[in-house]
């Protein structure tokens, strides 16, 4: 008669189950994926995509070398998309305008302003006009009333320098947006596009950030016989870098400070640093903090862009 093979004891079976469960748990919480280690950088699409791709490709390489982590530039289609991507974690570090940066931080508690350009502490917008409009340069804000009844285009609806602050200074001088031809302003979508629609005559007047205006002038993309500046706004604070609140958790303690240090360390002393700063239109990045944008938040609430 054959000997019956002994059955595993209940304890043995339990131990086996625990071992398997432990192994599965280990697999599910194992090493952080390579993808999660990538620092995703983004920016509001305020200029033509070709320039943005050149700029952020160089910047990504620079940050990757300094921070010792892969850095990837992720383009977005419009300003609200940049805010959404930051809130949901698709973007970790974003170059925002004043208004979009405030909107992003309000939607992402704990987000931190790291830096701005030297030119952002006292930024300005310009109003430009097509020569056929008959509008001529003026020096006082109260002369903005000359724009009533004109065809005017802003840039993006969420642009600080191409919509929010120009509209704010108009409201301070008694001009409301329903007083333009057609009962409302147009929106070109970007600063470059605002120049194009005014230069073509599609709109008589446009408002955009002065840095982009100067850049287009220097690159020969503006015909001064067709379009020129008629007024410059008082200075205000604008663009800045904003970091998500979970960078230290994902990349290690102190990583957020390392990102700030890396941005501030970019100088024109290296060929790549020179390229980055030239494309940003700045001499350097300087420290910035959330409270620097309190005035922008107040104006945004006043004009109904922040609720």
């Amino acid at each position: 008669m054959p000997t019956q093979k002994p059955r595993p004891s209940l304890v043995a079976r339990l131990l086996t189950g625990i071992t398997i469960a432990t192994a599965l748990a280990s697999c599910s919480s194992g090493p952080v994926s390579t993808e999660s280690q990538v620092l995703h950088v983004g920016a509001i699409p305020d200029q033509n995509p070709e320039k943005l791709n050149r700029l952020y490709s160089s910047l990504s390489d620079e940050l990757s070398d300094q921070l010792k982590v892969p850095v990837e530039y992720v383009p977005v289609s419009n300003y609200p998309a940049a805010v959404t991507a930051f809130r949901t974690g698709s973007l970790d570090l974003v170059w925002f305008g004043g208004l979009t940066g405030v909107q992003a931080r309000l939607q992402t508690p704990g987000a931190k302003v790291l830096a701005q350009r030297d030119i952002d502490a006292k930024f300005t917008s310009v109003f430009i006009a097509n020569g056929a409009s008959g509008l001529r340069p003026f020096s006082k804000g109260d002369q903005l009333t000359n724009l009533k009844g004109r065809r005017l285009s802003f840039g993006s609806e969420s642009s600080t320098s191409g919509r929010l602050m120009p509209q704010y200074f108009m409201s301070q001088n008694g001009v409301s947006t329903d007083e333009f031809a057609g009962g409302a302003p147009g929106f070109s979508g970007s600063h470059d596009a605002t120049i194009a629609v005014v230069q073509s005559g599609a709109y008589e007047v446009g408002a955009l950030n002065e840095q982009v205006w100067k850049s287009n002038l220097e690159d020969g993309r503006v015909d001064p016989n067709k379009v020129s500046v008629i007024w410059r706004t008082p200075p205000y604070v604008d663009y800045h870098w904003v970091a998500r609140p979970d960078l230290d958790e994902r990349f290690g303690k102190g990583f957020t400070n390392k990102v700030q240090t890396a941005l501030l360390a970019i100088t024109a002393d290296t060929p790549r640093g020179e390229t980055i700063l030239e494309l940003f239109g700045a001499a350097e990045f300087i420290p910035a903090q959330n409270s620097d944008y309190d005035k922008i938040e107040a104006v945004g609430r006043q004009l109904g862009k922040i609720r």
Side-chain angles (χ1 to χ4, degrees), residues 115-146:
Q116 59 183 199
R117 298 171 301 188
D118 53 338
I119 62 174
D120 288 309
K122 294 183 178 179
F123 208 76
T124 53
S125 296
V126 290
F127 284 79
I128 59 174
N130 187 288
S133 69
L135 290 166
R136 297 294 177 262
F138 50 88
S139 57
K140 296 182 179 178
D142 58 9
Q143 292 174 295
L144 284 167
T145 53
N146 293 328

Side-chain angles (χ1 to χ4, degrees), residues 10 34 42 48 88-89 100 117 122 145 149 224 250 261-262 281-282 287 292 300:
L10 177 61
T34 302
N48 71 72
T88 59
T100 47
R117 298 171 301 188
K122 294 183 178 179
T145 53
R250 289 175 47 213
T261 299
D292 292 339

